[in-house]
Amino acid sequence: MKKVLFLNSRSPFPIRDGASIGTNQYLRFFHDLGYDVDLCYVSEKDDLDVVSKGVGQYCNQVRCFPIPKWQSYLKSLHGFMTSPYPLQVCYYYSRKLLRWVKEHAADYDIIYCHNMRTARYAEGLGQYKIWNIVDAFSMNYESAITHSHGLWKWIYKTDARRCSRYEQKLLGEFDKKLIVSQKDRDFIVDCAGGKADITVVENYTVIPEGPGHETPVLKTPNLVFVGAMNYEPNITAVTYFCDHILPVLLKTYPSLHFYIVGKTPAASVCALQSEHVTVTGFVDDVWDYFRKASVVIAPMQSGSGLQNKILQALAVGACVVTTPIGFEGLVHAEGQPFIAETDEEMVKQISFLLDSPEARSDEGKKSVGYIKKFYSIDVIRAKFKAFMDA
């Protein structure tokens, strides 16, 4: 049985966002394929007991390397002044973890680094190394630059350059590379002049047990957005929707309500709260919001990777309206989300679904079939097995 050292930059449990979804996926896949996995992760607090209970079934040993948030901020500031590394790599960097990896690397057959933030620990090691790029951070930052202002715009510009240089450096450091979407892969490969071997393996989506989507005509129709609300692409998406789409819809649907569901909402998101907008903050069960949504929206204006929020909504049979950016990385097939290329198209598609409960029900059934065919655990695990066996 081959031993894998799995390095992660954040707590993988509880599962609260796309990052933890991806981490849990690969812990499970390694376990399912017969590997012996030890997990080392960085966290803002010592939450080893919680994480061990959550992912212990997939791991032989779990180790936490706590870093208080104030230390992370200081390391980012120091890194900005003295280091060539991207700021987010500096933010999540643990000297204790680096020392531990160097001392114990020889005990493992494979070093697996989940995203750019952990790749630093594997630099120079002679073991077989796998880098899960996850998203093209450099592309994500380039997109964020166009939607930011002032100090943040300057920070994004600085880190976009650093991320691009570091991504290209790491391509030659690892034996195998994988990424979550074709668009992210193409961006990094293009930056490398076409000389990069990267495999696309998407995230799988669980079809939850219990009741499916509810499709009756509601007295108060509702729209739902789900995501980590301190994440720039999500902040931009809901702000755009409240500024440009919701006011138009309210003219026809004066009782319409918009729920912004997700942890740690930024101040600008909280400011969107109104008679027609509820900012929930963290909720225990996002599935319940998906099930009861008249329409789930993903009006993405920036970002990269695969939108887990879309796949989760489709998995319960909800109808989703998104933008071309939100659709990037998904398969074109029956049951896919509705794609709106303009504000007018988004209003039209949402209005059609609000007015047509039967159509919502029919499309929702197709959506569940879409997830089973393209994004089930069996389908995605088979892709990862092929990646490991190649």
Side-chain angles (χ1 to χ4, degrees), residues 43-65:
S43 177
E44 294 177 355
K45 56 185 178 181
D46 189 350
D47 53 1
L48 181 60
D49 289 344
V50 172
V51 172
S52 295
K53 290 177 183 178
V55 303
Q57 60 185 316
Y58 307 131
C59 303
N60 180 37
Q61 297 184 55
V62 180
R63 294 180 177 84
C64 174
F65 292 81

PDB file of all heavy atoms in Angstrom, residues 43-65:
ATOM      1  N   SER A  43      -4.282  25.717  10.050  1.00  0.00           N
ATOM      2  CA  SER A  43      -5.569  26.245  10.504  1.00  0.00           C
ATOM      3  C   SER A  43      -5.362  27.471  11.377  1.00  0.00           C
ATOM      4  O   SER A  43      -4.302  27.646  11.976  1.00  0.00           O
ATOM      5  CB  SER A  43      -6.329  25.176  11.301  1.00  0.00           C
ATOM      6  OG  SER A  43      -7.555  25.677  11.804  1.00  0.00           O
ATOM      7  N   GLU A  44      -6.380  28.315  11.437  1.00  0.00           N
ATOM      8  CA  GLU A  44      -6.322  29.486  12.300  1.00  0.00           C
ATOM      9  C   GLU A  44      -6.464  29.118  13.773  1.00  0.00           C
ATOM     10  O   GLU A  44      -6.204  29.936  14.640  1.00  0.00           O
ATOM     11  CB  GLU A  44      -7.426  30.480  11.914  1.00  0.00           C
ATOM     12  CG  GLU A  44      -7.234  31.090  10.535  1.00  0.00           C
ATOM     13  CD  GLU A  44      -8.376  32.015  10.158  1.00  0.00           C
ATOM     14  OE1 GLU A  44      -9.352  32.099  10.937  1.00  0.00           O
ATOM     15  OE2 GLU A  44      -8.297  32.647   9.088  1.00  0.00           O
ATOM     16  N   LYS A  45      -6.893  27.888  14.045  1.00  0.00           N
ATOM     17  CA  LYS A  45      -7.046  27.443  15.426  1.00  0.00           C
ATOM     18  C   LYS A  45      -6.736  25.949  15.499  1.00  0.00           C
ATOM     19  O   LYS A  45      -6.665  25.256  14.474  1.00  0.00           O
ATOM     20  CB  LYS A  45      -8.468  27.706  15.920  1.00  0.00           C
ATOM     21  CG  LYS A  45      -9.543  27.066  15.062  1.00  0.00           C
ATOM     22  CD  LYS A  45     -10.923  27.452  15.535  1.00  0.00           C
ATOM     23  CE  LYS A  45     -12.000  26.855  14.631  1.00  0.00           C
ATOM     24  NZ  LYS A  45     -13.370  27.232  15.058  1.00  0.00           N
ATOM     25  N   ASP A  46      -6.562  25.462  16.693  1.00  0.00           N
ATOM     26  CA  ASP A  46      -6.292  24.043  16.881  1.00  0.00           C
ATOM     27  C   ASP A  46      -7.634  23.303  16.903  1.00  0.00           C
ATOM     28  O   ASP A  46      -8.273  23.160  17.936  1.00  0.00           O
ATOM     29  CB  ASP A  46      -5.534  23.810  18.190  1.00  0.00           C
ATOM     30  CG  ASP A  46      -5.054  22.375  18.316  1.00  0.00           C
ATOM     31  OD1 ASP A  46      -5.466  21.539  17.486  1.00  0.00           O
ATOM     32  OD2 ASP A  46      -4.263  22.081  19.232  1.00  0.00           O
ATOM     33  N   ASP A  47      -8.057  22.855  15.713  1.00  0.00           N
ATOM     34  CA  ASP A  47      -9.339  22.172  15.586  1.00  0.00           C
ATOM     35  C   ASP A  47      -9.155  20.707  15.213  1.00  0.00           C
ATOM     36  O   ASP A  47      -9.967  20.121  14.494  1.00  0.00           O
ATOM     37  CB  ASP A  47     -10.219  22.875  14.551  1.00  0.00           C
ATOM     38  CG  ASP A  47      -9.510  23.053  13.208  1.00  0.00           C
ATOM     39  OD1 ASP A  47      -8.354  22.620  13.077  1.00  0.00           O
ATOM     40  OD2 ASP A  47     -10.126  23.629  12.286  1.00  0.00           O
ATOM     41  N   LEU A  48      -8.068  20.124  15.710  1.00  0.00           N
ATOM     42  CA  LEU A  48      -7.704  18.761  15.326  1.00  0.00           C
ATOM     43  C   LEU A  48      -8.798  17.752  15.658  1.00  0.00           C
ATOM     44  O   LEU A  48      -9.080  16.848  14.862  1.00  0.00           O
ATOM     45  CB  LEU A  48      -6.398  18.359  16.030  1.00  0.00           C
ATOM     46  CG  LEU A  48      -5.862  16.956  15.725  1.00  0.00           C
ATOM     47  CD1 LEU A  48      -5.575  16.800  14.238  1.00  0.00           C
ATOM     48  CD2 LEU A  48      -4.611  16.671  16.547  1.00  0.00           C
ATOM     49  N   ASP A  49      -9.445  17.885  16.811  1.00  0.00           N
ATOM     50  CA  ASP A  49     -10.481  16.928  17.198  1.00  0.00           C
ATOM     51  C   ASP A  49     -11.647  16.944  16.208  1.00  0.00           C
ATOM     52  O   ASP A  49     -12.136  15.889  15.784  1.00  0.00           O
ATOM     53  CB  ASP A  49     -10.993  17.232  18.609  1.00  0.00           C
ATOM     54  CG  ASP A  49      -9.967  16.895  19.685  1.00  0.00           C
ATOM     55  OD1 ASP A  49      -9.012  16.153  19.379  1.00  0.00           O
ATOM     56  OD2 ASP A  49     -10.117  17.385  20.822  1.00  0.00           O
ATOM     57  N   VAL A  50     -12.075  18.137  15.842  1.00  0.00           N
ATOM     58  CA  VAL A  50     -13.206  18.265  14.911  1.00  0.00           C
ATOM     59  C   VAL A  50     -12.844  17.698  13.542  1.00  0.00           C
ATOM     60  O   VAL A  50     -13.610  16.936  12.933  1.00  0.00           O
ATOM     61  CB  VAL A  50     -13.627  19.743  14.775  1.00  0.00           C
ATOM     62  CG1 VAL A  50     -14.672  19.907  13.671  1.00  0.00           C
ATOM     63  CG2 VAL A  50     -14.165  20.264  16.099  1.00  0.00           C
ATOM     64  N   VAL A  51     -11.664  18.072  13.046  1.00  0.00           N
ATOM     65  CA  VAL A  51     -11.233  17.607  11.724  1.00  0.00           C
ATOM     66  C   VAL A  51     -11.020  16.100  11.725  1.00  0.00           C
ATOM     67  O   VAL A  51     -11.414  15.407  10.769  1.00  0.00           O
ATOM     68  CB  VAL A  51      -9.954  18.348  11.286  1.00  0.00           C
ATOM     69  CG1 VAL A  51      -9.388  17.733  10.009  1.00  0.00           C
ATOM     70  CG2 VAL A  51     -10.248  19.828  11.075  1.00  0.00           C
ATOM     71  N   SER A  52     -10.423  15.563  12.778  1.00  0.00           N
ATOM     72  CA  SER A  52     -10.173  14.126  12.844  1.00  0.00           C
ATOM     73  C   SER A  52     -11.469  13.331  12.809  1.00  0.00           C
ATOM     74  O   SER A  52     -11.556  12.282  12.160  1.00  0.00           O
ATOM     75  CB  SER A  52      -9.385  13.786  14.111  1.00  0.00           C
ATOM     76  OG  SER A  52      -8.094  14.358  14.075  1.00  0.00           O
ATOM     77  N   LYS A  53     -12.484  13.822  13.502  1.00  0.00           N
ATOM     78  CA  LYS A  53     -13.771  13.143  13.476  1.00  0.00           C
ATOM     79  C   LYS A  53     -14.417  13.229  12.095  1.00  0.00           C
ATOM     80  O   LYS A  53     -15.099  12.311  11.653  1.00  0.00           O
ATOM     81  CB  LYS A  53     -14.706  13.752  14.529  1.00  0.00           C
ATOM     82  CG  LYS A  53     -14.304  13.448  15.958  1.00  0.00           C
ATOM     83  CD  LYS A  53     -15.218  14.139  16.961  1.00  0.00           C
ATOM     84  CE  LYS A  53     -14.761  13.877  18.391  1.00  0.00           C
ATOM     85  NZ  LYS A  53     -15.608  14.594  19.385  1.00  0.00           N
ATOM     86  N   GLY A  54     -14.170  14.349  11.394  1.00  0.00           N
ATOM     87  CA  GLY A  54     -14.802  14.547  10.102  1.00  0.00           C
ATOM     88  C   GLY A  54     -14.174  13.774   8.967  1.00  0.00           C
ATOM     89  O   GLY A  54     -14.858  13.258   8.086  1.00  0.00           O
ATOM     90  N   VAL A  55     -12.824  13.688   8.974  1.00  0.00           N
ATOM     91  CA  VAL A  55     -12.133  13.045   7.844  1.00  0.00           C
ATOM     92  C   VAL A  55     -11.304  11.840   8.274  1.00  0.00           C
ATOM     93  O   VAL A  55     -10.617  11.245   7.446  1.00  0.00           O
ATOM     94  CB  VAL A  55     -11.229  14.055   7.097  1.00  0.00           C
ATOM     95  CG1 VAL A  55     -12.038  15.238   6.610  1.00  0.00           C
ATOM     96  CG2 VAL A  55     -10.064  14.522   7.975  1.00  0.00           C
ATOM     97  N   GLY A  56     -11.372  11.483   9.549  1.00  0.00           N
ATOM     98  CA  GLY A  56     -10.553  10.388  10.055  1.00  0.00           C
ATOM     99  C   GLY A  56     -10.791   9.065   9.353  1.00  0.00           C
ATOM    100  O   GLY A  56      -9.892   8.221   9.291  1.00  0.00           O
ATOM    101  N   GLN A  57     -11.983   8.871   8.800  1.00  0.00           N
ATOM    102  CA  GLN A  57     -12.277   7.613   8.115  1.00  0.00           C
ATOM    103  C   GLN A  57     -11.431   7.424   6.868  1.00  0.00           C
ATOM    104  O   GLN A  57     -11.256   6.311   6.375  1.00  0.00           O
ATOM    105  CB  GLN A  57     -13.759   7.580   7.734  1.00  0.00           C
ATOM    106  CG  GLN A  57     -14.178   8.706   6.814  1.00  0.00           C
ATOM    107  CD  GLN A  57     -15.669   8.716   6.551  1.00  0.00           C
ATOM    108  OE1 GLN A  57     -16.259   7.681   6.304  1.00  0.00           O
ATOM    109  NE2 GLN A  57     -16.284   9.900   6.611  1.00  0.00           N
ATOM    110  N   TYR A  58     -10.895   8.538   6.329  1.00  0.00           N
ATOM    111  CA  TYR A  58     -10.080   8.470   5.122  1.00  0.00           C
ATOM    112  C   TYR A  58      -8.587   8.517   5.410  1.00  0.00           C
ATOM    113  O   TYR A  58      -7.785   8.316   4.494  1.00  0.00           O
ATOM    114  CB  TYR A  58     -10.417   9.643   4.192  1.00  0.00           C
ATOM    115  CG  TYR A  58     -11.882   9.792   3.878  1.00  0.00           C
ATOM    116  CD1 TYR A  58     -12.519  11.027   3.992  1.00  0.00           C
ATOM    117  CD2 TYR A  58     -12.640   8.701   3.472  1.00  0.00           C
ATOM    118  CE1 TYR A  58     -13.862  11.174   3.700  1.00  0.00           C
ATOM    119  CE2 TYR A  58     -13.996   8.837   3.185  1.00  0.00           C
ATOM    120  CZ  TYR A  58     -14.602  10.075   3.295  1.00  0.00           C
ATOM    121  OH  TYR A  58     -15.930  10.216   3.012  1.00  0.00           O
ATOM    122  N   CYS A  59      -8.216   8.799   6.650  1.00  0.00           N
ATOM    123  CA  CYS A  59      -6.811   9.082   6.960  1.00  0.00           C
ATOM    124  C   CYS A  59      -6.260   8.135   8.007  1.00  0.00           C
ATOM    125  O   CYS A  59      -6.981   7.715   8.928  1.00  0.00           O
ATOM    126  CB  CYS A  59      -6.660  10.522   7.467  1.00  0.00           C
ATOM    127  SG  CYS A  59      -7.268  11.781   6.330  1.00  0.00           S
ATOM    128  N   ASN A  60      -4.979   7.832   7.899  1.00  0.00           N
ATOM    129  CA  ASN A  60      -4.281   7.081   8.926  1.00  0.00           C
ATOM    130  C   ASN A  60      -3.945   7.993  10.105  1.00  0.00           C
ATOM    131  O   ASN A  60      -4.237   7.678  11.257  1.00  0.00           O
ATOM    132  CB  ASN A  60      -3.013   6.463   8.341  1.00  0.00           C
ATOM    133  CG  ASN A  60      -2.219   5.663   9.352  1.00  0.00           C
ATOM    134  OD1 ASN A  60      -2.802   4.991  10.203  1.00  0.00           O
ATOM    135  ND2 ASN A  60      -0.901   5.730   9.272  1.00  0.00           N
ATOM    136  N   GLN A  61      -3.348   9.172   9.788  1.00  0.00           N
ATOM    137  CA  GLN A  61      -3.023  10.163  10.809  1.00  0.00           C
ATOM    138  C   GLN A  61      -3.421  11.553  10.308  1.00  0.00           C
ATOM    139  O   GLN A  61      -3.358  11.831   9.112  1.00  0.00           O
ATOM    140  CB  GLN A  61      -1.533  10.143  11.129  1.00  0.00           C
ATOM    141  CG  GLN A  61      -1.031   8.835  11.723  1.00  0.00           C
ATOM    142  CD  GLN A  61       0.431   8.894  12.101  1.00  0.00           C
ATOM    143  OE1 GLN A  61       0.862   9.766  12.865  1.00  0.00           O
ATOM    144  NE2 GLN A  61       1.218   7.967  11.581  1.00  0.00           N
ATOM    145  N   VAL A  62      -3.817  12.400  11.244  1.00  0.00           N
ATOM    146  CA  VAL A  62      -4.184  13.793  10.927  1.00  0.00           C
ATOM    147  C   VAL A  62      -3.398  14.702  11.859  1.00  0.00           C
ATOM    148  O   VAL A  62      -3.395  14.496  13.083  1.00  0.00           O
ATOM    149  CB  VAL A  62      -5.693  14.042  11.106  1.00  0.00           C
ATOM    150  CG1 VAL A  62      -6.037  15.492  10.771  1.00  0.00           C
ATOM    151  CG2 VAL A  62      -6.505  13.082  10.237  1.00  0.00           C
ATOM    152  N   ARG A  63      -2.743  15.713  11.289  1.00  0.00           N
ATOM    153  CA  ARG A  63      -1.951  16.670  12.085  1.00  0.00           C
ATOM    154  C   ARG A  63      -2.364  18.084  11.736  1.00  0.00           C
ATOM    155  O   ARG A  63      -2.492  18.431  10.560  1.00  0.00           O
ATOM    156  CB  ARG A  63      -0.453  16.478  11.839  1.00  0.00           C
ATOM    157  CG  ARG A  63       0.103  15.165  12.330  1.00  0.00           C
ATOM    158  CD  ARG A  63       1.594  15.042  12.057  1.00  0.00           C
ATOM    159  NE  ARG A  63       2.143  13.799  12.595  1.00  0.00           N
ATOM    160  CZ  ARG A  63       2.093  12.634  11.946  1.00  0.00           C
ATOM    161  NH1 ARG A  63       1.549  12.580  10.733  1.00  0.00           N
ATOM    162  NH2 ARG A  63       2.603  11.549  12.501  1.00  0.00           N
ATOM    163  N   CYS A  64      -2.528  18.903  12.768  1.00  0.00           N
ATOM    164  CA  CYS A  64      -2.903  20.309  12.594  1.00  0.00           C
ATOM    165  C   CYS A  64      -1.711  21.191  12.941  1.00  0.00           C
ATOM    166  O   CYS A  64      -1.016  20.953  13.940  1.00  0.00           O
ATOM    167  CB  CYS A  64      -4.091  20.651  13.491  1.00  0.00           C
ATOM    168  SG  CYS A  64      -4.548  22.402  13.491  1.00  0.00           S
ATOM    169  N   PHE A  65      -1.488  22.224  12.127  1.00  0.00           N
ATOM    170  CA  PHE A  65      -0.432  23.206  12.378  1.00  0.00           C
ATOM    171  C   PHE A  65      -1.106  24.581  12.499  1.00  0.00           C
ATOM    172  O   PHE A  65      -1.325  25.263  11.498  1.00  0.00           O
ATOM    173  CB  PHE A  65       0.592  23.183  11.245  1.00  0.00           C
ATOM    174  CG  PHE A  65       1.399  21.914  11.208  1.00  0.00           C
ATOM    175  CD1 PHE A  65       0.879  20.768  10.633  1.00  0.00           C
ATOM    176  CD2 PHE A  65       2.660  21.862  11.776  1.00  0.00           C
ATOM    177  CE1 PHE A  65       1.609  19.586  10.617  1.00  0.00           C
ATOM    178  CE2 PHE A  65       3.406  20.684  11.760  1.00  0.00           C
ATOM    179  CZ  PHE A  65       2.872  19.542  11.176  1.00  0.00           C
TER     180      PHE A  65
END
